C-alpha cells in the first residue's frame, strides 16, 4: 500500500510539473525558425569580414536592426510594361501588408518567476527575425525611358535579366521551400545601401565588389570619380551603410522599394581568384589564421617555418581544407556559396549581373537607375594590378592539379551556385 501511494504521488507531481512547464513556455521559443543553409543556433557568428584580405575585424556590431519576423513574396521587379504580358503586369502589382504580432502586457501582480520569464521573452522578441510580407517593389523601380524602348541593345539586356531571374526562381522553387521564408539580420548583413538612387547591393567577394563600392560612393556624392577613391577608403572608411544597420521599418521599406542587385562569378574561377589573392601573396591575416591550420592538418612532414608562418599553402591543400567536413578552421566569405552570402531564395533580387559580362551588365544597371551619364563601371584592377586577372584558362590550370574525384567534389560543393546562375560544367568528366 505504501509503495502504491508513493508511485501515485510521483505521477501526480510529474503531471503538475508538466502543466506548469507548458504554461510558462513561450510560443516564440517553439517556432522553428531555421532557414536552409543557416544553422539553427545563431548565438555566435565569426567576425564579419569585408571583400578583401585583412587582419582587421569588420565594423563593430550594429545595434539590433530587426525586431520582428520577415517573409517574402517574390515577383518580377525590372519593369518594362510594353514588353510584359498582361497577366504578369497584374501579378507584379500585387500588394502585401505587414503583419506584426503584438505581445499582451502581463499583470504587475505576477510572481517573481513570471517576471523573470517576461524579461527573457522581451530579450527573445528583440533578437527575433521579422515576419514581413514583402511586395514586389515594382511600383518604385525605374523603367526604361520611352526613347530606349525601341533600342535593341536595352531590350536584349532586359530579356537576359528576365531569363536569369526565371532560372534563379525555378531553382529556388525546386530545391528550397518558398511557402514561409524568414529573413534575419544575418541574411541582410552583406547588403550595402545607397539611399540617393535607392540601391541595395549584396557584395560577393571576387566578383567586382571593390569597384561596386566605389560606384555606390560616387552615387552617394562622397566622391566625384571612382578613380579618386583609394583601396583603404573603400574598405576601412565606413562610408557605406549596411542594411542590417536599420530598424525593422527601414529594412522593410528598402527591401520593398529599392532596386536590389547582385553580381556573381563562375564558382571555380571565383575560388581560384580568392586562392591567388589570399595565399600566393603576403597576407597577415589569411596566412596565420588559415594557412597555419591548413598546413598543419594536410601537409606531411611540414617544416617548422611553414607551420610558424602559414605561408606557401598549395592549391591542392586548400581544396582538401575546403572539402573537409571537419575543417580545422571555419569558412570564409571569399569561398563561401553565393547562396549563403546573399540568400537569393529569400531576397527577391531585381538585377542579377555576372562578372563575365561586367561592363555591359553594370552600365545597363546604371542606366536603369538613372545614374549620371559620365559614371561608368571602373575597369582597373584593385589589387595586384600587375598580375593577370584570373581567367578560365588559369582556372583550368589550377584544377588540373587535382584528381578527378577532387574536381567532382568541388563541383558538388558549388552545385547550387552553378545551377542557380546557369553556369556550365567546367570539366567534361563532371556529372
Amino acid at each position: 500500500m505504501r509503495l502504491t501511494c508513493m508511485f501515485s504521488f510521483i505521477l501526480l507531481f510529474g503531471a503538475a510539473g508538466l502543466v506548469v512547464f507548458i504554461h510558462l513556455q513561450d510560443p516564440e521559443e517553439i517556432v522553428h525558425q531555421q532557414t536552409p543553409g543557416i544553422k539553427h543556433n545563431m548565438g555566435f557568428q565569426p567576425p564579419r569580414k569585408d571583400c578583401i584580405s585583412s587582419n582587421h575585424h569588420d565594423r563593430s556590431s550594429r545595434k539590433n536592426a530587426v525586431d520582428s519576423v520577415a517573409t517574402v513574396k517574390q515577383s518580377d521587379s525590372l519593369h518594362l510594361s510594353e514588353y510584359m504580358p498582361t497577366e504578369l503586369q497584374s501579378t507584379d502589382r500585387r500588394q502585401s501588408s505587414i503583419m506584426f504580432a503584438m505581445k499582451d502586457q502581463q499583470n504587475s501582480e505576477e510572481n517573481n518567476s513570471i517576471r523573470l520569464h517576461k524579461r527573457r521573452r522581451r530579450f527573445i522578441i528583440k533578437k527575433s527575425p521579422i515576419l514581413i510580407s514583402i511586395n514586389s517593389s515594382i511600383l518604385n523601380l525605374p523603367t526604361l525611358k520611352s526613347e530606349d524602348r525601341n533600342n535593341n541593345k536595352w531590350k536584349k539586356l532586359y530579356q537576359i535579366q528576365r531569363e536569369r531571374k526565371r532560372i534563379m526562381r525555378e531553382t529556388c522553387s525546386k530545391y528550397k521551400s518558398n511557402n514561409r521564408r524568414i529573413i534575419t539580420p544575418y541574411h541582410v548583413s552583406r547588403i550595402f545601401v545607397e539611399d540617393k538612387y535607392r540601391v541595395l547591393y549584396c557584395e560577393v567577394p571576387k566578383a567586382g565588389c571593390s569597384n561596386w563600392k566605389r560606384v555606390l560612393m560616387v552615387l552617394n556624392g562622397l566622391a566625384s570619380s571612382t578613380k579618386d577613391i583609394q583601396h583603404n577608403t573603400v574598405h576601412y572608411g565606413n562610408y557605406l551603410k549596411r542594411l542590417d544597420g536599420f530598424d525593422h521599418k527601414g529594412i522593410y521599406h528598402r527591401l520593398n522599394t529599392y532596386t536590389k542587385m547582385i553580381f556573381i562569378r563562375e564558382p571555380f574561377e571565383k575560388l581560384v581568384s580568392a586562392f591567388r589573392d589570399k595565399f600566393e601573396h603576403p597576407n597577415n591575416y589569411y596566412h596565420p589564421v588559415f594557412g597555419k591550420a591548413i598546413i598543419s592538418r594536410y601537409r606531411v612532414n611540414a617544416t617548422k617555418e611553414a607551420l610558424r608562418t602559414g605561408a606557401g599553402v598549395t592549391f591542392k591543400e586548400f581544396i582538401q581544407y575546403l572539402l573537409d567536413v571537419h575543417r580545422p578552421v571555419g569558412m570564409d566569405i571569399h569561398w563561401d556559396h553565393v547562396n549563403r552570402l546573399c540568400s537569393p531564395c529569400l531576397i527577391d533580387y531585381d538585377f542579377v549581373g555576372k562578372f563575365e559580362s561586367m561592363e555591359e551588365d553594370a552600365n545597363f544597371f546604371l542606366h536603369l537607375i538613372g545614374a549620371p551619364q559620365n559614371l561608368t563601371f571602373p575597369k582597373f584592377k584593385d589589387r595586384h594590378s600587375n598580375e593577370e586577372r584570373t581567367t578560365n584558362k588559369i582556372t583550368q590550370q589550377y584544377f588540373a592539379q587535382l584528381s578527378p574525384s577532387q574536381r567532382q567534389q568541388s563541383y558538388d560543393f558549388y552545385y547550387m551556385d552553378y545551377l542557380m546562375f546557369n553556369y556550365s560544367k567546367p570539366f567534361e568528366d563532371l556529372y
Side-chain angles (χ1 to χ4, degrees):
M1 176 64 73
R2 183 174 301 174
L3 182 62
T4 302
C5 291
M6 182 177 296
F7 183 71
S8 301
F9 176 77
I10 291 173
L11 286 178
L12 288 173
F13 183 79
L18 181 61
V19 170
V20 172
F21 173 79
I22 294 174
H23 175 71
L24 294 179
Q25 181 66 32
D26 190 344
E28 294 265 353
E29 296 177 306
I30 60 176
V31 175
H32 183 59
Q33 296 181 351
Q34 187 174 3
T35 305
I38 305 299
K39 293 183 179 180
H40 183 61
N41 181 9
M42 297 295 293
F44 170 79
Q45 291 294 332
R48 185 168 54 184
K49 301 183 185 68
D50 215 341
C51 67
I52 57 163
S53 97
S54 169
N55 64 337
H56 293 274
H57 285 167
D58 200 4
R59 304 173 182 86
S60 59
S61 339
R62 290 172 169 75
K63 59 183 177 182
N64 300 317
V66 187
D67 319 307
S68 328
V69 177
T71 39
V72 183
K73 288 185 180 178
Q74 298 197 9
S75 55
D76 276 337
S77 299
L78 286 171
H79 182 46
L80 183 57
S81 58
E82 291 188 4
Y83 304 105
M84 292 176 65
T86 304
E87 63 270 21
L88 287 179
Q89 293 183 38
S90 61
T91 301
D92 283 335
R93 292 190 177 95
R94 288 178 302 181
Q95 298 294 312
S96 304
S97 58
I98 310 176
M99 300 299 295
F100 291 105
M102 303 300 294
K103 292 286 182 182
D104 294 331
Q105 295 293 332
Q106 296 190 359
N107 295 327
S108 58
E109 293 83 7
E110 291 178 18
N111 57 36
N112 291 334
S113 64
I114 298 300
R115 291 195 192 98
L116 177 62
H117 173 67
K118 188 176 179 182
R119 287 196 296 270
R120 184 180 55 154
R121 172 177 293 187
R122 284 199 300 267
F123 174 78
I124 292 170
I125 294 173
K126 191 173 183 180
K127 293 291 185 181
S128 295
I130 303 186
L131 185 61
I132 304 178
S133 186
I134 303 256
N135 64 29
S136 67
S137 73
I138 190 67
L139 299 179
N140 296 282
L141 283 173
T143 61
L144 284 177
K145 300 176 182 178
S146 58
E147 59 267 27
D148 294 331
R149 293 179 179 175
N150 294 322
N151 186 310
N152 290 330
K153 174 185 176 181
W154 298 134
K155 286 197 295 184
K156 177 184 176 182
L157 292 173
Y158 173 76
Q159 292 302 329
I160 289 174
Q161 283 300 311
R162 296 212 22 147
E163 180 65 10
R164 287 175 183 172
K165 285 170 62 65
R166 182 191 65 79
I167 293 172
M168 187 171 67
R169 286 184 180 175
E170 287 182 357
T171 305
C172 290
S173 298
K174 184 175 181 179
Y175 294 94
K176 304 286 184 180
S177 172
N178 289 324
N179 295 328
R180 185 175 181 82
R181 295 163 303 149
I182 295 173
I183 294 179
T184 69
Y186 174 84
H187 294 118
V188 300
S189 62
R190 305 222 67 83
I191 296 181
F192 288 89
V193 178
E194 200 293 298
D195 286 315
K196 185 175 180 181
Y197 286 86
R198 306 166 72 85
V199 173
L200 298 181
Y201 164 62
C202 184
E203 74 165 343
V204 176
K206 314 310 298 179
C209 70
S210 298
N211 280 337
W212 265 118
K213 289 180 182 179
R214 288 184 170 92
V215 170
L216 293 180
M217 291 175 69
V218 172
L219 288 174
N220 201 39
L222 298 172
S224 58
S225 170
T226 55
K227 296 179 181 179
D228 299 333
I229 308 173
Q230 299 299 314
H231 176 84
N232 287 345
T233 303
V234 171
H235 298 294
Y236 306 130
N238 200 25
Y239 292 109
L240 296 174
K241 296 174 287 187
R242 294 186 193 245
L243 189 55
D244 66 343
F246 295 87
D247 61 18
H248 69 276
K249 290 183 180 179
I251 292 176
Y252 170 82
H253 170 70
R254 287 167 177 81
L255 284 175
N256 279 270
T257 61
Y258 283 27
T259 307
K260 302 175 287 294
M261 65 104 161
I262 179 176
F263 270 75
I264 41 87
R265 187 175 185 178
E266 201 279 339
F268 276 14
E269 188 175 302
K270 175 176 170 291
L271 181 67
V272 171
S273 177
F275 173 78
R276 295 175 71 199
D277 182 26
K278 308 309 176 192
F279 296 103
E280 292 187 350
H281 298 276
N283 192 293
N284 60 359
Y285 174 75
Y286 284 91
H287 288 187
V289 174
F290 288 87
K292 290 169 67 173
I294 290 173
I295 291 173
S296 176
R297 178 72 169 264
Y298 305 107
R299 185 176 298 181
V300 179
N301 299 324
T303 65
K304 292 183 178 179
E305 180 67 11
L307 292 171
R308 183 183 69 83
T309 64
V313 171
T314 67
F315 186 65
K316 190 170 184 178
E317 291 169 341
F318 175 66
I319 294 298
Q320 285 180 282
Y321 144 78
L322 184 71
L323 302 177
D324 191 346
V325 295
H326 303 294
R327 298 184 191 94
V329 61
M331 279 294 289
D332 182 83
I333 62 171
H334 292 85
W335 42 85
D336 206 348
H337 314 81
V338 175
N339 183 52
R340 282 173 37 121
L341 292 174
C342 295
S343 305
C345 290
L346 291 174
I347 299 170
D348 184 20
Y349 288 96
D350 306 305
F351 192 97
V352 181
K354 290 191 173 184
F355 184 85
E356 294 75 18
S357 54
M358 175 65 79
E359 184 176 359
E360 188 175 50
D361 287 351
N363 292 328
F364 176 50
F365 176 79
L366 293 173
H367 181 83
L368 276 177
I369 65 171
Q373 293 186 359
N374 63 343
L375 176 61
T376 57
F377 191 81
K379 298 180 181 179
F380 58 82
K381 196 169 184 280
D382 191 54
R383 291 169 58 79
H384 316 304
S385 56
N386 295 326
E387 186 177 85
E388 183 182 359
R389 286 186 184 274
T390 302
T391 61
N392 178 63
K393 181 180 178 181
I394 292 177
T395 301
Q396 295 279 331
Q397 292 171 355
Y398 275 80
F399 273 87
Q401 303 171 26
L402 307 180
S403 67
S405 173
Q406 288 175 316
R407 287 198 296 269
Q408 181 64 54
Q409 291 178 65
S410 300
Y411 177 72
D412 294 341
F413 185 83
Y414 291 108
Y415 179 71
M416 283 302 297
D417 284 353
Y418 272 99
L419 202 63
M420 188 173 296
F421 302 111
N422 198 30
Y423 282 108
S424 302
K425 293 179 182 179
F427 289 91
E428 292 182 358
D429 60 347
L430 298 176
Y431 56 86

